[in-house]
Every structure is written in C-alpha cells, then in structure tokens.
Amino acid sequence: MAFVFLWWMMSLMVHSVDIPPPAAAINTPEQQTAARHAAAEKLAAQARAETQRKAEGFAWRLCSSAIRTAAKYPSSVDVSVLSSPGTQSMAGGGYIVRLAFEAKNGFGNLIPQMARCEVKGGKLTHFSVNNR
C-alpha cells in the first residue's frame, strides 16, 4: 500500500513540473548577432550595477569610520541605517552619504546627530556633523 502511495506522489511531482516552451529558433546570422549583443549588454549592465553597489557600500563604510574617528567616545556610536537619508550620486562622480547616528557627549548623554560625507575617488573629501 505504501508503495502505491509513493508511486502516486511521484507521478504528481513529475506532472507538476513546469517545463518552459522552447525558445524561438534563431535562424539568421543577424538574429544570432543581435542575440549575442543583447546578452553582452545585459552582462555589462549587471556589472555596472554591481560596481555601483560596491562603491556605495564603500562610501557608507568610509563615512561610518569617519564618524567613529571624530566621536569623543567611539564605542558609543550607533549608526542607524533605517533612519539615514541614504546616498546620492554627485555629478562629477562620487557620492554624498548622509548617516543618522547617536553618540555620547562629554556628559555621557546620547545625542542624535547627522553626518554628511562626500566621497570621491575612494577618498573622503568632506565631512560634517550636525545635531538632528
């Protein structure tokens, strides 16, 4: 009885697999060239997006590091990713990063603050901190 049940379950699994329809045949050399060109463009776009994502992440880490370096008590710094306005691309290349954070002042009170960093060419070109 168990064998029949297993066979029935396996037959359901085999029939429920969606097999995509075959792609349209590419017959002419022009169609083949166009398909290769489209695939190359897609890969290039993915590579550009990945490079931009990595550069933005580097800018965030650089700004976070600058915040900790400038803080009176670096271990008290708590960067809030969800409250931060984010990253903006600059016209000449580079990024403007705004990070919201809290850090202790000289009296030990947590003060909410906002940092603004400009990162260009892999270097921090501007850094400022204001109270929120």
Side-chain angles (χ1 to χ4, degrees):
M1 184 70 175
F3 175 73
V4 174
F5 178 74
L6 287 175
W7 176 80
W8 177 72
M9 289 296 292
M10 293 294 282
S11 68
L12 287 177
M13 289 172 50
V14 170
H15 293 296
S16 66
V17 174
D18 292 330
I19 300 173
I26 300 175
N27 296 327
T28 66
E30 292 84 15
Q31 289 175 329
Q32 291 174 352
T33 303
R36 274 189 246 122
H37 183 68
E41 283 295 321
K42 182 178 178 182
L43 285 175
Q46 289 173 346
R48 284 191 300 271
E50 180 69 15
T51 301
Q52 181 178 0
R53 186 186 62 78
K54 286 181 180 179
E56 286 182 18
F58 176 75
W60 274 65
R61 287 189 302 277
L62 193 61
C63 191
S64 180
S65 176
I67 291 169
R68 292 186 198 291
T69 302
K72 187 166 188 105
Y73 300 105
S75 62
S76 72
V77 173
D78 182 24
V79 177
S80 176
V81 177
L82 296 177
S83 299
S84 297
T87 307
Q88 179 181 353
S89 296
M90 292 191 326
Y95 297 95
I96 297 173
V97 179
R98 290 183 182 87
L99 290 177
F101 69 98
E102 289 183 338
K104 286 187 178 180
N105 64 5
F107 298 110
N109 297 323
L110 278 175
I111 306 296
Q113 298 178 322
M114 181 72 67
R116 183 180 186 274
C117 305
E118 292 182 14
V119 178
K120 190 170 184 176
K123 296 181 182 178
L124 186 65
T125 58
H126 175 77
F127 174 72
S128 63
V129 174
N130 298 314
N131 291 333
R132 283 194 270 164

